[in-house]
Amino acid sequence: MDESRTYILDGMELYVPLRVDRQPGRPIEDYREWIEHAVYTPSGYRVMFSGTDACIHAEESAPGGCPDCGSCRFYRRAAEQTWIGMCVNEKNRRSGKISMI
């Protein structure tokens, strides 16, 4: 399957490939690329899978802790129906020339 979904993060087009999951038999987003390799937006924000373990700079967005990126106040989801987004914490931001996929 060569299908993908497109999201815009910080002015960058992000293509998330789809693969067919055997259980429901329908396409699901494949986040392996962003789990395995660091990708940054043009402004230096890291593209993250929401289930990635929270970093040392994480701050909970709601009471109950911050075990992963998706529960951090600095995480910005690309869209409502996806688990991909970016970290906007300045402490994790890269400066200078940014390489993108």
Side-chain angles (χ1 to χ4, degrees), residues 48-55 57-77 83 86:
M48 304 292 297
F49 169 64
S50 64
T52 302
D53 290 343
C55 71
H57 306 296
E59 296 178 18
E60 63 186 10
S61 60
C66 188
D68 55 36
C69 291
S71 59
C72 180
R73 74 180 193 93
F74 297 110
Y75 183 76
R76 301 293 181 270
R77 193 176 302 269
W83 290 35
M86 67 181 172

